Amino acid sequence: MSDELTLVIDIGKSHAKLLMVDAQGAVLERFGRANASVPSPLGYPALDVQGLEDWMAQTLRGCVHTARCSRVITSTHGAALVALGGQGLAWDPVDYEFDGLALHPLLAKAFDAAADGFASTLSPDLPAGLNAARQLFQVQHLHPEVWRRTHCLLPYAQYWAWRLSGVAASEVSSLGCHTHLWRPQEGAFSALAQDQGWAALFAPLRSAWEVLGTVTPEIATAWGLPAHCQVHVGVHDSNACLARYLDASEVDASALTVVSSGTWTVLMAPGAPTASLQAERDMLANVDVLGRATPTARFMGGREFAHLLDGASPDAGTLDDVQALVDSATLAMPSFAEHGGPFMGRQGMILREGKPLPVALPHGQRAALAALYCAQTTAWLVERLWDGVALPRTVVLEGPLAQNALYLALLQALLPQARCLASHDAMEGTARGTWLLARWGDPAAAATTALAPVEAAPVRGLPAYHAQWIASAA
């Protein structure tokens, strides 16, 4: 039907969105909400599933397009798992920024001893609960009476598919997202997941684009969705962004790096060698929607960009501001976020000629430094992912950073051997890829939107400046 609509539910760590998308891929309406954790009865911060559901139901009941929805599909951030009991949630899903094992060193040591090595899972050891297996270990061993309620485990995206359809499923892009639960090169659960009894609790594997069924009568009434609305399995958000390029004629996936930006800036390079991955640099193998290991690197770019802006407008910086930073040897040295990234555990600082900067920068230079720092980190990670591989490379930028002209121009200048392309899609890459998965196999849907080539910033002395940054940072 030409007038059918798809509801895309896009739940990121900091923001959640609802998008009504027509059969041609145009966004008819969008809604947004801040997303934050809530306290749980067990004493840890939990994902706000009830708050999100209340918001979604209320929003959709008031939306004129809801009655025309024939499909619904969800993408969510990774490192999030949900446990079902007899009547719904067995326990509140843990927020991955909570370090549940920090106060229990013996238990943390036991987890480390039980976990598979990096060579097996290609999942680095990450802080707090960013390895989702730590969340399961925490609840299982610290709250055994609650753990006994667990009948079924689901990745977060598939929780919403279950909530809508009543059918439980798991999906490989979420299971393979630095969880310590999956062996991406073998397509199987890790020894840890099997030994702890978790593998047997996970719902059956289904592909992200598959239809689980239609919405339940309860959801149809509460959300205003038609009874015939089909529910798809859903996907990990960064992998949704990548999915739209796996079968795109505009780019060669064997030499592609997709940079998906948001709270996290995630670089995925499906053709890069897994041998180049360095666990200590927060490099890992994600698993794409087809089940293939995908070399990945990441940093908390959204958080770091905001920290360096320190209240300045993100578009306040100019090339003159960048030139002033380079000429004065003013560098932002990592890192400005607490979790993950190639320089995790280091305290970020702004230096001028090797010494801490004693005064605050003007707004324009703050914005320029934020763009420059994120471009430098991105460029460094692209080079690490493709270490030792000499071939023409394409770097596609998605998300908020793809809208920052200064960041784009600086990244192209720092990667002179690569072709940088920016997606200026009205629908961000994660949502576009999620919509595409709901229409997987449709040639018309598979055509990507136009990608704009990026022109390099003409900044004098930038290569030497970047070399100094690398020598100090790396």
Side-chain angles (χ1 to χ4, degrees):
M1 293 175 58
S2 60
D3 63 344
E4 70 177 15
L5 299 183
T6 299
L7 168 62
V8 174
I9 302 173
D10 179 9
I11 301 175
K13 189 62 171 66
S14 303
H15 297 89
K17 305 185 205 61
L18 299 173
L19 298 96
M20 293 290 184
V21 188
D22 70 14
Q24 289 71 48
V27 179
L28 301 186
E29 199 161 9
R30 70 178 72 214
F31 308 91
R33 173 192 189 268
N35 191 22
S37 62
V38 294
S40 80
L42 298 180
Y44 56 76
L47 303 181
D48 186 17
V49 291
Q50 190 59 55
L52 285 170
E53 179 171 342
D54 292 345
W55 167 71
M56 287 190 269
Q58 181 179 359
T59 300
L60 292 172
R61 284 198 307 269
C63 176
V64 296
H65 301 293
T66 303
R68 293 172 53 203
C69 283
S70 61
R71 312 165 189 246
V72 57
I73 185 167
T74 302
S75 66
T76 69
H77 62 80
L81 302 171
V82 179
L84 300 181
Q87 301 297 321
L89 292 179
W91 35 272
D92 293 321
V94 182
D95 185 314
Y96 68 63
E97 295 191 69
F98 175 68
D99 193 344
L101 300 182
L103 300 178
H104 305 274
L106 291 180
L107 195 59
K109 188 175 181 180
F111 175 86
D112 293 339
D116 302 51
F118 181 75
S120 174
T121 62
L122 297 178
S123 172
D125 291 329
L126 298 174
L130 281 165
N131 299 125
R134 294 182 185 274
Q135 302 169 24
L136 299 181
F137 202 78
Q138 164 198 332
V139 177
Q140 184 178 29
H141 292 276
L142 294 179
H143 306 285
E145 72 290 349
V146 172
W147 179 262
R148 284 193 288 271
R149 302 176 196 162
T150 305
H151 294 173
C152 178
L153 293 171
L154 304 172
Y156 195 28
Q158 285 69 59
Y159 164 75
W160 291 104
W162 169 83
R163 185 70 187 95
L164 290 163
S165 70
V167 181
S170 296
E171 191 274 328
V172 72
S173 72
S174 294
L175 285 177
C177 174
H178 53 78
T179 60
H180 281 9
L181 297 170
W182 196 251
R183 290 175 287 170
Q185 297 176 109
E186 300 173 39
F189 280 102
S190 65
L192 171 69
Q194 296 182 59
D195 293 344
Q196 297 295 319
W198 305 333
L201 289 171
F202 273 97
L205 275 172
R206 303 283 293 271
S207 296
W209 56 85
E210 286 188 60
V211 174
L212 293 174
T214 55
V215 294
T216 64
E218 174 202 356
I219 289 294
T221 299
W223 295 37
L225 290 164
H228 66 268
C229 182
Q230 296 182 324
V231 181
H232 294 261
V233 170
V235 65
H236 167 235
D237 55 7
S238 296
N239 270 286
C241 194
L242 175 66
R244 63 184 294 203
Y245 297 106
L246 295 179
D247 191 32
S249 59
E250 291 89 342
V251 295
D252 176 7
S254 67
L256 171 69
T257 305
V258 174
V259 181
S260 171
S261 62
T263 302
W264 288 92
T265 298
V266 182
L267 294 80
M268 305 181 77
T274 57
S276 297
L277 298 176
Q278 298 174 270
E280 67 276 12
R281 296 295 192 183
D282 198 2
M283 299 171 74
L284 60 138
N286 266 300
V287 179
D288 70 15
V289 295
L290 300 175
R292 302 173 299 190
T294 302
T296 301
R298 61 199 203 126
F299 67 106
M300 228 169 187
R303 292 264 177 95
E304 297 199 86
F305 193 92
H307 179 94
L308 287 165
L309 283 176
D310 193 24
S313 167
D315 299 316
T318 66
L319 284 176
D320 287 340
D321 290 316
V322 175
Q323 193 65 65
L325 294 171
V326 172
D327 291 344
S328 62
T330 302
L331 300 105
M333 303 307 302
S335 128
F336 301 93
E338 294 181 11
H339 302 297
F343 309 109
M344 67 179 91
R346 301 190 193 181
Q347 179 61 52
M349 63 182 68
I350 299 174
L351 303 179
R352 175 166 289 170
E353 295 184 345
K355 298 178 181 178
L357 191 66
V359 296
L361 291 169
H363 279 222
Q365 289 189 28
R366 290 212 300 270
L369 189 62
L372 181 55
Y373 171 83
C374 287
Q376 288 182 286
T377 307
T378 304
W380 190 85
L381 287 172
V382 170
E383 297 290 4
R384 300 289 80 69
L385 282 169
W386 293 97
D387 187 32
V389 180
L391 48 76
R393 277 174 255 151
T394 299
V395 179
V396 175
L397 289 307
E398 292 274 8
L401 285 178
Q403 312 308 314
N404 188 286
L406 197 55
Y407 165 84
L408 294 172
L410 289 166
L411 182 63
Q412 181 64 84
L414 293 167
L415 294 172
Q417 304 306 315
R419 178 180 64 144
C420 292
L421 303 172
S423 171
H424 297 308
D425 196 337
M427 182 162 47
E428 289 183 3
T430 293
R432 175 67 69 191
T434 305
W435 171 80
L436 173 63
L437 284 164
R439 307 181 67 85
W440 199 248
D442 179 350
T448 64
T449 55
L451 298 171
V454 176
E455 185 175 343
V459 179
R460 299 182 310 276
L462 185 61
Y465 174 93
H466 186 51
Q468 179 184 356
W469 183 87
I470 290 174
S472 301

